[in-house]
Amino acid sequence: QGLYSSVVCPGLVMSNMTYRILPVFLWKLLMPIMWLVRFSPSATAVFVKAPLGRFASSVWLFKQKPEYLDSLVKYHSCTSGLGKCYVEPRKMDVDEDTAEKLYQKLIELEEQ
């Protein structure tokens, strides 16, 4: 029917929703560590520093031709150590047979 679906991950973005996950005193202990970790080359792909960077994967996907995207990939919003936003595709841990079974179940549920 010409409909496409993709999975995106905004990365770790510190917002008022994030603060509700743990008690306030734990965030006060963790924040200095989080600020140091964000400069590590291995962590920069996960910790989105720029607030608008969390939308990088959504905006990037919007600009792509959906028929050329891999349906078994999750697109992550990332930020380099210098603050440059980019999108990193990562293969999901789902094989095509399982994905097809889930899709067929979705079709059955839709018909009900």
Side-chain angles (χ1 to χ4, degrees), residues 8-81:
V8 297
C9 176
L12 177 60
V13 178
M14 301 309 290
S15 69
N16 61 349
M17 290 175 62
T18 310
Y19 290 116
R20 294 181 188 154
I21 296 171
L22 296 172
V24 175
F25 76 92
L26 279 176
W27 282 117
K28 290 185 188 250
L29 294 172
L30 289 173
M31 284 311 291
I33 297 167
M34 296 291 276
W35 281 99
L36 290 173
V37 166
R38 68 184 252 175
F39 292 104
S40 164
S42 61
T44 55
V46 179
F47 194 89
V48 178
K49 299 174 193 98
L52 294 177
R54 70 185 109 180
F55 302 110
S57 55
S58 299
V59 172
W60 181 85
L61 275 171
F62 178 76
K63 294 179 177 183
Q64 306 306 306
K65 291 189 181 280
E67 56 271 15
Y68 296 124
L69 296 172
D70 186 347
S71 61
L72 297 177
V73 166
K74 181 190 283 187
Y75 298 94
H76 291 255
S77 295
C78 302
T79 307
S80 71

Side-chain angles (χ1 to χ4, degrees), residues 90-107:
R90 297 181 193 159
K91 203 78 160 149
M92 290 189 286
D93 190 20
V94 177
D95 60 85
E96 290 192 34
D97 291 335
T98 303
E100 184 61 33
K101 287 177 188 171
L102 290 170
Y103 177 73
Q104 291 305 324
K105 184 64 177 176
L106 180 64
I107 298 296

